[in-house]
Amino acid sequence: MKLAEGVDLHFIKNQQFKTNHLTFRFSGHRQSKTVSRRVLVAQMLATASEDFPNNKLLRERFANLYGASLSTNVSTRGNIHIVDIDISFMSNRYVLGQEDLLGEVITIIGQLLFRPLISLEKYQTKTFDIEKKNLIRYLEIDEQDQFYNSMIGLQKLYYEEESLQISKYGTKELIEKENAFTAYQEFQKMLKEDKIDIFLLGDFNDYQATRQLIQFPLLDRDISLQKVYKQEFLNIVKEKVVSKDTTQSILQLGYHVPIYYGSQEYYAMLVAEGMLGGFSHSKLFTVVREQESLAYTVGIRYDAFTGFLRIYAGIEKNSRAKTFKVINQQINELKMGRFSSQLVKQTKQMIIGNAKMSMDNPKALIEQTYSSAIFSEESVDLQSFIDNISKVTKRDIVAAIGMMKLQAVYFLEGE
């Protein structure tokens, strides 16, 4: 249902959960100059409003609604930066008496959005500064994680687009530059210009929800989101070695895979990813970790919205060359079709099993609805996804993995 141009309301009727779930989602352009502001906005949305001027009062209000919970979350899809407000609350049918939890929750989210805690067109400085310090502290903790550091290092090597080189939370340096005014102005820009999707999942009264939500002062907006980021492959492999005073050494490999979400090759690439390193029975686990004992941890991550595949391994300092060689051997085995039908079958079963299990997660159901709205033709329902995975052949897998080309190597060398 369209509340305004670029503002859509999605009802997901479902009686399998005792709780209802409301997600208010902002989708905007992923830009390095605004990502930290958007994260600070997310922090403020979960902290206070004019009606609840401190976090304690806001939490108490939700606790009094039969233990309802509020959180905000930041994520990315390709060149889209997403800020979510998530509220989980009891379905009215489980509430004693006549209390209308749905109505209360919608009222509160309206207060958070349209009655923020501000002073002279900026967030209240005292509260904002506390949240800013908290966010910087979180990032400082992340920066102590060598896997996080090496992952960011690989992204900087691989991506040409600056906004994709940094974390979805931005950087400590970018956050330090922001203030109560710039963050609040970004929030007002989000309200006016972002694609907005409101998801309500559970057992609820459609008419009641629509009647309240349609009163939100959200105006038409014209936004064209770059759903998929595509980058040309460069013939030169970018390499970087960084030495750090740590006992860990981490090898990060970045591959260019020109296969994107929703394409027919996408399903074959999902199976290939699973066979290579997605599960405990995969080649990277059974050969690199168990058979060769080269890595204490090894894994893979394929981003179908940017065509970027990352293989990472925590290894001994002197095992870099051998680990790289063995990983490369496993990739070549797949490229040449040297794998068993049992490996294919087991991987498909795991992918399909995980997809079915995700349907028991409210957030996964919301994500599926979002994909259907944003990606329309490319998105499929659960049964179609299962059918597409089931149809993947050995030839499809070989063709998909054949498109995988090494583009960047980042090695964090422990000293």
Side-chain angles (χ1 to χ4, degrees):
M1 178 186 298
K2 195 179 292 292
L3 299 184
E5 194 62 43
V7 181
D8 295 305
L9 174 59
H10 312 270
F11 287 148
I12 310 169
K13 303 293 280 189
N14 191 311
Q15 294 190 359
Q16 72 182 98
F17 308 111
K18 289 185 177 180
T19 53
N20 289 341
H21 299 266
L22 176 64
T23 294
F24 197 102
R25 171 167 291 184
F26 295 92
S27 298
H29 298 294
R30 185 176 177 178
Q31 298 174 304
S32 54
K33 67 180 181 180
T34 60
V35 61
S36 293
R37 294 175 197 167
R38 294 171 67 90
V39 178
L40 286 164
V41 168
Q43 293 279 106
M44 290 300 294
L45 285 168
T47 300
S49 70
E50 186 177 321
D51 301 275
F52 307 99
N54 61 59
N55 190 251
K56 183 174 181 291
L57 290 173
L58 183 59
R59 297 293 165 184
E60 285 177 351
R61 181 67 187 114
F62 276 101
N64 290 334
L65 295 177
Y66 293 83
S69 64
L70 164 73
S71 63
T72 54
N73 183 54
V74 173
S75 60
T76 58
R77 291 201 184 188
N79 255 341
I80 302 175
H81 191 267
I82 296 168
V83 174
D84 283 348
I85 309 171
D86 294 314
I87 302 178
S88 176
F89 58 100
M90 195 73 73
S91 173
N92 278 346
R93 68 180 180 202
Y94 294 106
V95 177
L96 297 175
Q98 299 299 310
E99 189 165 4
D100 174 21
L101 290 190
L102 173 61
E104 290 280 358
V105 164
I106 294 176
T107 296
I108 293 173
I109 201 169
Q111 292 167 339
L112 293 173
L113 291 168
F114 305 111
R115 290 170 58 85
L117 188 61
I118 61 171
S119 175
L120 300 175
E121 291 304 305
K122 65 180 182 179
Y123 283 122
Q124 187 195 77
T125 305
K126 182 180 177 181
T127 302
F128 176 83
D129 287 346
I130 291 172
E131 291 307 309
K132 180 177 173 178
K133 287 178 183 177
N134 287 340
L135 184 56
I136 290 172
R137 195 176 301 121
Y138 297 150
L139 279 177
E140 287 174 341
I141 292 171
D142 279 342
E143 288 171 2
Q144 294 170 15
D145 183 334
Q146 300 311 328
F147 266 96
Y148 174 86
N149 282 329
S150 60
M151 179 191 73
I152 296 297
L154 180 68
Q155 288 179 190
K156 288 179 179 178
L157 266 187
Y158 179 88
Y159 287 117
E160 295 174 8
E161 182 71 38
E162 185 182 358
S163 61
L164 276 77
Q165 294 176 0
I166 61 176
S167 159
K168 61 187 177 183
Y169 302 111
T171 66
K172 178 182 172 183
E173 292 72 26
L174 286 172
I175 292 167
E176 286 174 337
K177 292 178 181 177
E178 303 301 341
N179 56 50
F181 177 78
T182 60
Y184 179 68
Q185 295 308 308
E186 184 64 27
F187 174 49
Q188 292 305 302
K189 185 169 176 283
M190 289 164 63
L191 280 172
K192 294 173 184 175
E193 299 180 12
D194 269 25
K195 170 79 176 73
I196 290 178
D197 292 275
I198 305 167
F199 305 90
L200 183 56
L201 179 148
D203 184 20
F204 51 86
N205 184 305
D206 302 35
Y207 174 73
Q208 176 200 359
T210 304
R211 187 180 61 185
Q212 280 188 269
L213 290 167
I214 206 167
Q215 295 177 28
F216 283 7
L218 295 167
L219 304 177
D220 291 348
R221 71 273 327 274
D222 181 19
I223 181 168
S224 178
L225 295 172
Q226 185 181 354
K227 297 176 286 188
V228 170
Y229 169 81
K230 295 183 180 181
Q231 180 174 299
E232 293 297 318
F233 174 72
L234 301 177
N235 288 322
I236 299 173
V237 176
K238 303 174 184 177
E239 296 188 55
K240 187 170 185 178
V241 177
V242 175
S243 297
K244 287 208 172 185
D245 184 15
T246 174
T247 56
Q248 290 180 314
S249 288
I250 301 166
L251 179 63
Q252 297 267 8
L253 306 173
Y255 294 85
H256 182 272
V257 183
I259 297 174
Y260 304 97
Y261 177 81
S263 66
Q264 199 54 46
E265 296 86 358
Y266 165 69
Y267 303 99
M269 194 63 221
L270 289 182
V271 177
E273 176 199 16
M275 291 166 60
L276 183 57
F279 302 104
S280 59
H281 68 270
S282 64
K283 283 184 165 290
L284 294 184
F285 276 85
T286 57
V287 179
V288 178
R289 184 178 178 182
E290 296 176 1
Q291 187 177 311
E292 298 290 339
S293 299
L294 288 168
Y296 57 86
T297 184
V298 65
I300 190 170
R301 176 71 189 274
Y302 164 53
D303 186 341
F305 300 102
T306 65
F308 172 54
L309 186 144
R310 177 172 67 97
I311 293 177
Y312 57 89
I315 62 176
E316 294 294 328
K317 175 182 177 179
N318 298 323
S319 300
R320 175 189 171 190
K322 187 175 181 182
T323 303
F324 178 75
K325 180 182 177 181
V326 175
I327 289 173
N328 203 41
Q329 286 173 346
Q330 306 319 303
I331 295 170
N332 286 334
E333 291 278 309
L334 294 186
K335 286 184 176 181
M336 291 184 286
R338 293 177 182 170
F339 51 85
S340 67
S341 58
Q342 178 59 30
L343 177 61
V344 178
K345 181 181 178 182
Q346 191 173 357
T347 302
K348 286 183 178 182
Q349 287 174 341
M350 293 295 289
I351 293 171
I352 291 170
N354 286 349
K356 288 179 177 178
M357 284 177 59
S358 72
M359 294 300 101
D360 292 329
N361 184 317
K363 194 68 175 176
L365 291 171
I366 288 171
E367 291 301 334
Q368 185 184 64
T369 305
Y370 178 72
S371 293
S372 297
I374 294 291
F375 295 92
S376 56
E377 294 178 4
E378 299 98 329
S379 180
V380 296
D381 59 21
L382 175 62
Q383 189 55 54
S384 297
F385 176 83
I386 292 172
D387 291 342
N388 283 323
I389 291 293
S390 300
K391 290 175 185 175
V392 171
T393 65
K394 183 173 184 176
R395 180 179 293 182
D396 296 333
I397 295 166
V398 171
I401 204 79
M403 298 185 197
M404 182 175 158
K405 296 177 182 178
L406 184 64
Q407 184 70 93
V409 178
Y410 185 94
F411 184 55
L412 191 153
E413 184 177 59
E415 294 180 340

